[in-house]
Each structure stands twice: as C-alpha cells, then as structure tokens.
C-alpha cells in the first residue's frame, strides 16, 4: 500500500467524523455488545438427548400380590418360551428371563429397580423395597400389597424442544409382565415417545404367548405387533431441559373390547379408579388371556380394581444444544476512496446457533470488520471498524447475506483487517464466535481505497483549487473541491459557476486573495475578507469555513446557494444532513428520500427481495403512531432502540442498523401498503429498523428515527429534534439557490449558526438555535437568488441591520470554535 501525506490525512480528519464514533456512544448507552439487550430468540432449535432414562412401574397390579403364584412381577428383557402355562423358577434364569452375573433382572439397557434403588432379582421379586412380602395380598387397601418395582430403560436418544413442549425419544430395551408367578406373560419392546405441544403417545412392540385361564392346555406364541403403549391426551407433558413426569391416560377411558369380563359401568364408588389402558394394549391382551386386568371390572375398593390405574411415568435426561453446523464466507464487494471498503458476508446454518456469550439464546448475529491485531475477546462496540447487526427476520432458512462497509476515514492503510461474525447479543468469545478470516485486498483494490496524493489531489487549471488551499480570483474551495477557470468555489465536491463567485461555497482550509474568506485557520486578504473568528473591515463575518459574498457553507455546500450536505446533490435535493435537524443516514437521492445505505428504497438489485419499506423520520405525539408504506399486505417487523445521547440525525441513522433492537413488533400492511404501529410510551428519540416480508422473503432494512414527544401537535416534518418558528429554515433539506445546511456559518454578513438558514443573497434572517436544528427569527429558507438584502460586506455596512448581523456572526463563530476546542 502507498501512504498518503500527513497533510491529506489531517485535512480528512478535520473534515470527516466517523459514524462509528457516534455509534460507539449510542452502543455504550444501550449495551450493544456487553449488556445483551433482550430480544426474542428465533427459530427454536431442538436440543439433543442421548442419555434419556425411562422409568415406569406401570400400575400397582403389575407388582401386586396375586391369587396364584405368589405375585405379579416385572422382568427385564423379552421372555423366552416355557412351552406351557407354569410358574417360573430360579432355574429359568438366563433362558426364560434375563439376569446379569449377580442374578439381577437386567438385559442390555433395561433393569428392574426396587423403590430402595436396588436392582430386583428372582428372590426379591415379591418383596417391596423394605423387604415386606406381598404374596397373595389382593386387597388394594391392605398395607404392603405391591412391591412398587419399576422398569428402567437407559440411553434413550432423540430431541426435545422445551419451549414448545415437544419431544421425540427412542429407547432400545424390553421388559416382560409375569402374572400369576409366570403362568401368563408377555413383553413390550423398544418404546418410543412422541410429544407435540404437550400431547402425544408412546408406541412399542407387543410380543408374548397366549394362554387361557379356563384351559391350561392352550399355549401359543403370538405374532409381534406394533401399537400404542401410552396415550397422553387427557393431561399435558411439561418438557424441560432435564426431563418430565406425567401420568398416562387411564382414568375415564372407555374400552369397547369384549374380553373375559366386561368393563364395569362408571359409578360414584369406582370413578376414582375407573378407566382402561390404550385399545391396542387391551386388544393384544385378549390373546394373552390377561385382557380384564387392564380395565375396570366388577369389584370394590378392597379388591384389585384400584390397583389397575396407571402410575406416573418419568423421563430424565440432559438436553444439549446441537453442535452448530454454521458455514460462513466473505468477499470484497467494492473498494474506493469515496465509498470505502464493502465486504459481502454470506453464511448458512445461522438458524441453529449456540447461545451467546451471555448464556442466552441466539437473537441473530453480528458481522464486523475488525483490526487483525485486535483479539476477538477484546472486541467491543467502540473498536470495531464497521459492524452490521443481522436481525432474525433477515435470516431466511438459516442463510445470511449482508454487506459490511467501512468508511475510508475509519481504515488505516498500514493495518490489516479481518471479517468476524458472532452470536448476538454478546461478545465474540468461546462458542459464540462463529467465523474469523482475513480480508485479502488486491493491489488494484488497495490503490483504489488509498490512492496516491497525485491521484487524489489533482487541481484544475486557471484558478482551480485542491481541497486544502483556495485558488485565486476570490473562489473559495471547500474540502477537496475543484474550482472552475474563473476561480469559482467548489464546495464538497460540487462545482461553482463561471462567474468566479462562490454563492455558498466555503473554503475548508485557506482562502486566497481578492476577498475570499478563509475559515478555520485561514488568513484575511486585502479585500476585507473575514478570517476565522474575526470579521474584516468590510463587516464580513467568516464563521468557521464561510465563503465570500454572504454565502454560508454548511459542511461542504454546493454552488448557487444550494446546501449540499454529506456528499448529496445540489439544487434542492434532500441529501445527507439537511437544515433544521433533519438528516439522511447516508447518501440520499435527488428526491430527498432518506436512504441509509446508498439505496433508493429498492432492493439493491436483488430482484428476489421486496422493496424495503418507505418510512420517514418522524415525530409523534400522544397518539404515538409510527407510519410507513410497503408492499400491500406485507408483514412488517419494526425494531427499535432508544438513543440515550443526542447526536446528529446522520450519526443516528448511520448506526441505526448496527444497534440490536430493544424491542420489536410485527404488523401487517393493508391492501394499499399502509402500516402503522405504536411507538414506545417513553419520551425520547428511537433508532428504528423496518423489514418487510413478502411471500416469506425479507427486504433489506429501512432505518429511520422516531421522536416521541408529549405534544401530539408537533411538526412531524421537523426531523429529529428539529423545529422552527417565525419563518424558519425548511426542514429536511433546504431548497435550491440560497439554502444552507446547519453546521458552519458563511461569511460576508451571512451568519448561520449550527442549523440556521440563509437566503441566496447571503443574508441570514436570524441566528440559529444551536445544535438541534431549530431556528428562530425571520429568515426565509430557500429563497431565490437576489433577495432584498445586499450581497457584499460593503453594502451591508450601509444598512443599520448589517451591524447587528455582523456582531451576531462574529459571536457565533467564536462560540462555535470554543465549542470545537
């Protein structure tokens, strides 16, 4: 890279103010990176589970004392074939039922666990956790009438979504029901739980053997079949990150099965236990010979009937956010001294991001250009070279496509830079950092971004000036402009006329002789031009970069009285920052639309994107209605952030898209595209962003500011903090031929202080009201050339009013410089 001269750097440093510097103040106040503003998470992502434990004792009847064979009990695994209906013995271990080396009921992931936490075995199958035997106890009200053993299946895998009470978990394991000591038994295998919005089922595979209580010679192997094991329709499952518990449906469930015994009618006596298991469960057990054990039949509270109702089922696990599958890339989109460095950042998987560094769910992402020497952990709002907040509505199907632009003044050609993306809101630390790669510039791009002095400061012949020193013949050259062959002033890259007179052009460094005003360290010539803070003997006040002939230059004005602010177009265009406090966030078009990012409100050439909403800066009163226009029936997401410190509107807009929303709302436009939403109730200024979504495709964001006042009659056109009375300057951009921008006053009698307006004659109707863009007095904004007041300092001296204007202008200059220092 080539190095620009110290003089050129110093001139540019004086002339430009970094939007990021202003943004840093806003971000610090609102907690952009470190504080983590609250914002709703988007695109809830299922968390993974690989250690789920299924625990269920089914019901008390399945571990209770039996009429025959001592007790009913649970065994691990799929039971083998005994060849006939008979009671199991200890010798059946390993062939009929599964055990481990210690003889405990286990099989793979499945174990039978007692209430004491100990594993059950054949010897303890009919005793509870305290060692009490339950053999033969068939009275549901008798003490110690069931063991309470439960089946436990480990290592279930699947996903859970606690936010929406969704879960899908599969277990691999089996357990068997041995009734009457093993005279009749069957198996459930591989249960799978599916829950959606708190409701669902557990399915599994039924298998076993058929027997008949009335004919013990009957014994047959049954065909395995899938079916519902559990239904969850009456209650709800509250899914959490660690598990849940619920009671499967039974109470109040009616069955249509005609088994050995019919379901008893529901009565006041049995309603507390009356019900049935799922229909698939009962239908299968018609073949096993156990059907009437799974729904309410005749019997009092002292019978086995109350033991048939289901017990709670527990699922425990550790939910883990899935490992993010995020891919990101970048490319240099453009590089020029005028427009800065624009890097396009694209990515996929941004709808499946880890938590932010603050431990909160993702609320979008940040994409930034950062100094390569700056460690990621040290990145803050104040030291990024450029940063763009990617809001959730801008992430479609996990994809991002965003441009990050760093102004040339914010770059140092001796440094290298990286692209960095991370999870919002927080810092790029740990898993929250998603991507960091170097920005590689070609030699051509480097030279375009940092041109040599010879290329940057070419002056024209015959009186042309180069951005730092004014030419001769009275032409004031402001901020790198070029004068014409008559010495006309070129203000802010504008072009003066051929009469050698800069009507409103200010010279940004040093004026020449012949009456040219030299503002900010300039020198007065022998024609009476005013220098800096002192008016000359002709009464001309040169206020901080004022031009001759009464024209006031507001931050690089154009010719013929047109105030061209922030590189906008002259002659009435509403460009950049306009008079009375209304500004444009970046470069506006000739129609005065606030564009924010070199756009005319369209989709920046992407035909797939809808046009971004059209919303002007506005002041709202008691009705607090924020209004705009977009595509008919589009969904519009409005996000806003309070601006704690008062900054120029251009600074607010330049940073508006970079500050994460404190809150947001989505509204639907009407058939004509009009939409409105309530502004925050607290008085103040808010940086807004609006994104329209049409057919699922989001637009680029439109940035604007909203000022909430207590006066619903406030002038909405006055811009942020801008109002006028008594014939004030025109808000949101002065008209042509005489409009001035409220930043720095002009010379030779036209005094415009921080936002005041002067007409084309060079006379300012009054003093301005300070930095908020209000002007009080009697000037007429945007009046045509050749007004009623004289043009030159000599002529002004002949008028009584001129004396007051000169004093006021000189005082304004002194005050302005004191403020700058």
């Amino acid at each position: 890279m080539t190095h620009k001269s110290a003089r050129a750097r110093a001139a540019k440093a004086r002339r430009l103010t970094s939007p990021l510097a202003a943004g840093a103040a806003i971000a610090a106040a609102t907690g952009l990176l470190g504080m983590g503003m609250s914002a709703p998470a988007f695109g809830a992502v299922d968390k993974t589970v690989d250690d789920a434990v299924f625990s269920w004792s089914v019901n008390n009847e399945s571990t209770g004392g039996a009429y025959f064979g001592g007790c009913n009990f649970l065994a691990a695994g799929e039971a083998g074939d005994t060849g006939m209906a008979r009671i199991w013995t200890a010798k059946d271990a390993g062939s009929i039922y599964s055990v481990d080396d210690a003889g405990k009921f286990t099989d793979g992931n499945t174990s039978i666990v007692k209430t004491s936490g100990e594993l059950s075995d054949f010897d303890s199958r009919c005793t509870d956790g305290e060692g009490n035997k339950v053999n033969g106890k068939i009275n549901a009200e008798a003490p110690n009438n069931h063991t309470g053993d439960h089946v436990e299946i480990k290592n279930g895998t699947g996903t859970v979504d606690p936010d929406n009470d969704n879960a899908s978990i599969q277990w691999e394991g089996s357990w068997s029901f041995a009734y009457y000591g093993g005279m009749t038994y069957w198996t459930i295998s591989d249960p799978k739980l599916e829950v959606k919005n708190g409701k669902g089922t557990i399915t599994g595979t039924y298998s076993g053997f058929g027997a008949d209580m009335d004919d013990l010679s009957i014994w047959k192997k049954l065909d395995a079949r899938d079916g519902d094991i559990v239904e969850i329709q009456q209650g709800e499952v509250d899914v959490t990150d660690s598990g849940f518990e619920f009671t499967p449906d039974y109470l109040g469930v009616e069955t249509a099965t005609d088994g050995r015994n019919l379901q008893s009618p529901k009565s006041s006596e049995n309603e507390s236990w009356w019900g049935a298991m799922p229909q698939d469960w009962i239908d299968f057990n018609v073949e096993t010979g156990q059907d009437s054990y799974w729904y309410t039949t005749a019997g009092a509270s002292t019978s086995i009937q109350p033991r048939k109702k289901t017990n709670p089922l527990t699922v425990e696990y550790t939910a883990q956010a899935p490992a993010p599958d995020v891919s990101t890339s970048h490319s240099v989109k453009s590089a020029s001294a005028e427009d800065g460095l624009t890097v396009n950042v694209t990515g996929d998987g941004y709808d499946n991001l880890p938590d932010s560094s603050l431990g909160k769910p993702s609320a979008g992402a940040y994409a930034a250009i950062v100094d390569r020497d700056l460690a990621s952990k040290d990145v803050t709002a104040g030291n990024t070279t450029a940063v763009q907040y990617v809001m959730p509505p801008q992430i479609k199907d996990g994809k991002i496509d965003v441009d990050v632009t760093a102004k040339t003044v914010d770059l140092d050609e001796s440094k290298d830079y990286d692209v960095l993306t991370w999870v919002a809101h927080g810092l790029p630390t740990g898993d929250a950092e998603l991507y960091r790669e170097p920005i590689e510039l070609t030699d051509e791009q480097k030279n375009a971004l940092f041109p040599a002095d010879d290329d940057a400061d070419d002056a024209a012949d015959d009186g042309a000036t180069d951005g730092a020193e004014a030419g001769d013949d009275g032409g004031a050259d402001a901020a790198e402009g070029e004068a014409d062959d008559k010495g006309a002033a070129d203000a802010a890259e504008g072009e003066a006329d051929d009469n050698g007179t800069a009507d409103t052009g200010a010279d940004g460094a040093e004026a020449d002789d012949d009456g040219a005003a030299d503002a900010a360290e300039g020198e007065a010539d022998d024609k009476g031009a005013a220098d800096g803070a002192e008016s000359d003997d002709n009464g001309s006040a040169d206020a901080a970069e004022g031009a001759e002939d009464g024209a006031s230059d507001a931050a690089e004005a154009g010719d013929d009285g047109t105030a061209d602010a922030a590189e906008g177009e002259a002659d009435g265009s509403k460009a950049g920052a306009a008079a009375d406090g209304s500004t444009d966030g970046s470069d506006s078009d000739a129609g005065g639309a606030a564009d924010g990012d070199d756009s005319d409100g369209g989709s920046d050439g992407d035909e797939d994107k809808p046009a971004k909403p059209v919303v002007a800066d506005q002041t709202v009163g008691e009705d607090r209605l924020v209004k705009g226009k977009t595509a008919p029936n589009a969904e519009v997401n409005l996000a806003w952030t309070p601006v704690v410190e008062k900054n120029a509107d251009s600074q607010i807009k330049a940073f508006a898209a970079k500050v994460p929303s404190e809150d947001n709302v989505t509204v639907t436009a009407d058939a004509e595209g009009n939409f409105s939403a309530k502004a925050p109730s607290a008085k103040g200024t808010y940086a807004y962003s609006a994104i329209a979504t049409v057919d699922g495709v989001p637009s680029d964001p439109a940035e604007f500011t909203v000022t909430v006042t207590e006066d619903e009659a406030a002038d909405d056109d006055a811009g942020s903090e801008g109002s006028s009375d008594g014939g004030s300057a025109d808000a949101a951009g002065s008209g042509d031929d005489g409009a001035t921008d409220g930043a720095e006053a002009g010379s030779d009698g036209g005094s415009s202080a921080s936002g005041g307006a002067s007409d084309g004659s060079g006379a300012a109707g009054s003093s301005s009201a300070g930095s908020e863009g209000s002007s009080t007095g009697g000037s007429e904004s945007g009046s045509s050339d050749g007004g009623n007041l004289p043009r030159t300092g000599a002529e002004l001296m002949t008028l009584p009013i001129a004396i007051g204007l000169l004093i006021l202008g000189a005082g304004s200059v002194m005050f302005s410089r004191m403020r700058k220092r």
Side-chain angles (χ1 to χ4, degrees):
M1 292 184 183
T2 59
H3 293 273
K4 304 188 74 168
S5 68
R7 179 183 61 79
R9 287 185 181 276
K12 183 161 280 191
R14 288 195 305 268
R15 184 168 62 89
L16 300 177
T17 300
S18 168
L20 186 62
I26 299 172
T30 56
L32 165 62
L33 298 174
M35 299 305 294
M37 289 181 179
S38 62
F42 67 100
V45 177
D46 289 346
K47 297 181 178 181
T48 59
V49 168
D50 60 11
D51 61 349
V53 178
F54 174 102
S55 299
W56 193 26
S57 62
V58 187
N59 59 17
N60 292 343
E61 179 62 15
S62 294
T63 64
Y67 293 103
F68 185 79
C71 67
N72 305 324
F73 60 93
L74 303 176
E78 183 178 0
D81 188 357
T82 58
M84 58 179 296
R86 65 171 178 83
I87 297 175
W88 290 1
T89 68
K91 295 181 180 180
D92 292 325
S95 59
I96 305 303
Y97 55 88
S98 297
V99 294
D100 61 13
D101 293 341
K104 305 296 184 180
F105 285 155
T106 62
D107 180 67
N109 294 321
T110 307
S111 300
I112 306 301
V113 185
K114 309 194 77 65
T115 56
S116 62
E118 299 292 329
L119 297 183
S120 182
D121 57 21
F122 186 80
D123 292 337
S124 62
R125 70 191 186 284
C126 292
T127 59
D128 62 19
E130 298 178 354
N132 300 306
K133 286 189 172 295
V134 302
N135 295 47
K137 295 181 179 179
I138 57 174
N139 182 351
E141 294 182 347
N144 307 318
N145 66 81
H146 63 281
T147 67
D149 290 0
H150 65 271
V151 57
E152 182 176 281
I153 308 177
K154 297 180 179 180
N155 301 321
T157 60
T159 60
V160 296
D161 175 7
D163 292 337
N164 297 303
D165 288 331
N166 298 336
S168 177
I169 304 176
Q170 174 75 66
W171 287 270
E172 293 183 2
S174 305
W175 80 97
S176 298
F177 298 86
Y179 270 46
Y180 289 106
M183 292 285 292
T184 172
Y185 58 91
W186 58 282
T187 300
I188 291 177
S189 300
D190 303 332
K192 182 178 182 179
L193 178 140
E194 293 284 356
V195 174
K196 186 74 171 178
N197 297 324
K199 306 290 186 181
T201 61
I202 297 178
T203 57
T205 302
Y206 293 100
S207 62
F209 298 87
D212 192 325
M213 186 179 299
D214 297 321
D215 186 354
L216 297 181
S217 66
I218 295 177
W219 186 259
K220 61 180 179 179
K221 183 176 179 59
L222 303 176
D223 293 333
R225 70 201 67 175
D226 296 333
D228 291 343
I229 307 299
V230 167
E231 290 184 352
I232 317 164
Q233 302 300 325
Q234 294 180 341
E236 291 187 354
V237 177
D238 181 14
V239 179
T240 73
D241 283 332
S242 59
F244 48 85
E245 179 180 280
F246 65 94
T247 299
D249 292 355
Y250 179 90
L251 293 178
V253 176
E254 184 176 0
T255 181
T257 298
D258 292 331
R260 176 182 175 84
N261 300 297
L262 298 178
Q263 186 176 26
S264 295
K266 187 177 182 180
S267 66
S268 58
E269 180 182 4
N270 67 16
E271 63 180 354
S272 62
W273 69 77
W274 186 90
M277 296 296 280
Q279 194 62 51
D280 290 345
W281 185 303
I282 295 173
D283 289 345
F284 180 75
N285 275 282
V286 168
E287 299 182 48
T288 66
Q290 294 183 19
D291 56 272
S292 59
Y293 279 90
W294 304 111
Y295 54 86
T296 304
T297 55
S301 61
T302 55
S303 68
I304 66 171
Q305 297 305 316
R307 299 196 312 200
K308 294 180 180 180
K309 66 180 182 181
T310 54
N311 291 333
L313 189 157
T314 300
V315 177
E316 295 178 328
Y317 49 75
T318 302
Q320 298 177 338
D325 184 15
V326 179
S327 61
T328 311
S329 62
H330 74 272
S331 61
V332 176
K333 189 172 184 178
S334 64
S336 70
E338 179 181 0
D339 298 326
L341 173 64
T342 298
V343 178
N344 177 250
V345 181
T346 59
D348 202 354
Y350 276 73
D351 56 348
N352 181 21
L353 298 178
D355 288 346
S356 72
S357 64
L358 303 176
K360 296 182 179 180
S362 162
Y366 296 113
I369 296 175
V370 298
D371 184 344
R372 189 168 300 169
D373 294 334
L374 182 65
S376 297
K377 65 181 180 62
D378 296 327
V379 169
T380 67
N383 60 21
T384 54
T385 306
V387 62
Q388 186 71 39
Y389 173 47
V390 186
M391 295 180 288
Q394 295 174 271
I395 301 175
K396 180 66 175 176
D397 296 328
K399 300 182 183 298
I400 66 168
D401 188 339
V402 63
D403 290 343
V404 186
T405 298
K407 293 184 178 296
T408 306
V409 72
D410 296 326
L411 296 168
D412 185 337
E413 66 180 302
S414 66
K415 292 181 175 292
D416 293 316
Y417 294 89
D418 293 344
V419 169
L420 174 66
T421 70
W422 70 96
V423 181
H425 303 300
L427 297 172
T429 59
D431 292 337
E433 180 180 341
L434 304 174
Y435 175 82
R436 182 164 185 167
E437 291 295 333
I439 299 173
E440 301 293 349
L441 298 177
T442 65
D443 290 340
E444 181 179 359
Q445 290 168 335
K446 293 175 185 177
N447 293 331
L449 192 60
F450 301 109
D453 288 343
D454 291 340
D455 294 332
D457 299 329
D458 284 343
D461 294 334
D462 299 324
T465 61
D466 78 342
E469 298 176 346
D472 56 359
D473 295 330
D477 177 5
E480 300 185 2
E482 295 179 1
D484 62 11
D485 56 1
K486 297 297 184 178
D490 178 356
E493 300 182 5
E495 295 179 359
D497 62 17
D498 57 2
N499 294 322
T501 301
D503 288 343
T504 58
D507 179 8
E510 297 177 1
D512 63 0
D513 55 1
D514 296 328
D518 180 293
E521 302 180 5
E523 298 176 359
D525 62 13
D526 55 1
K527 297 297 184 179
D531 176 29
E534 298 177 1
S535 63
D536 62 7
D537 55 359
N538 291 326
S540 301
D542 180 353
E545 302 183 8
E548 67 174 12
D549 295 337
S552 41
D553 174 27
E556 304 175 1
D559 61 337
D560 294 334
T562 303
D564 181 352
E567 302 182 8
E569 297 290 336
D571 296 330
S573 308
K574 177 183 175 184
D580 290 342
S582 178
T583 65
D584 185 3
S586 181
D587 295 338
S588 66
D589 58 15
D595 169 78
D597 191 16
D598 295 329
S599 170
D600 59 358
S603 60
D604 291 327
D606 189 344
E607 296 180 357
D608 294 332
K609 289 185 179 180
K612 61 186 179 184
V614 178
V615 195
D617 292 351
Q618 51 198 281
T619 298
V620 297
E622 292 181 358
D623 62 352
R624 302 194 347 263
L625 278 183
V626 178
K627 299 178 181 179
K629 194 171 183 67
T630 185
N633 305 314
E635 295 289 331
V636 183
N637 180 268
L638 296 163
W640 62 87
T641 293
V643 179
V644 178
E645 296 185 4
K646 295 181 180 179
N647 295 272
D649 287 353
S650 60
Q651 294 172 343
I652 293 173
K653 282 188 173 183
F655 206 71
K658 303 171 187 176
V659 180
S661 63
E662 180 179 80
D663 206 348
N664 69 82
V665 68
T666 298
V667 297
T668 302
D670 62 20
E672 297 180 353
N674 299 308
F675 65 88
S676 63
K678 284 285 188 180
S681 58
K683 181 180 178 181
T685 301
Y686 297 81
Y688 263 74
S689 179
I691 294 177
T693 300
V694 179
D695 296 330
V697 179
S699 71
D700 291 327
E703 290 86 32
F704 59 100
T705 58
V706 172
T707 301
V708 179
T709 70
E710 296 177 350
D711 181 9
E712 64 180 346
D715 182 5
D716 287 350
D717 294 332
S720 180
E721 300 289 341
S723 65
S724 63
D725 57 47
S728 66
D730 182 20
S734 306
D736 59 349
D737 296 329
T740 62
D741 180 75
E744 296 176 348
S747 66
D748 293 346
S751 67
S752 168
S754 183
S758 68
D759 65 13
S761 301
S766 69
S767 64
S768 69
S771 63
E772 294 184 4
S774 301
S775 67
T776 62
S779 70
E780 294 182 358
S781 166
S783 63
S784 62
D785 269 357
N788 294 325
L789 294 180
R791 296 184 52 132
T792 66
E795 291 173 314
L796 286 173
M797 289 293 291
T798 66
L799 298 177
I801 192 173
I803 299 174
L805 290 172
L806 288 171
I807 295 172
L808 182 61
S812 174
V813 172
M814 293 299 294
F815 179 67
S816 175
R817 292 206 170 185
M818 289 172 66
R819 290 181 61 195
K820 288 183 177 180
R821 292 193 180 100

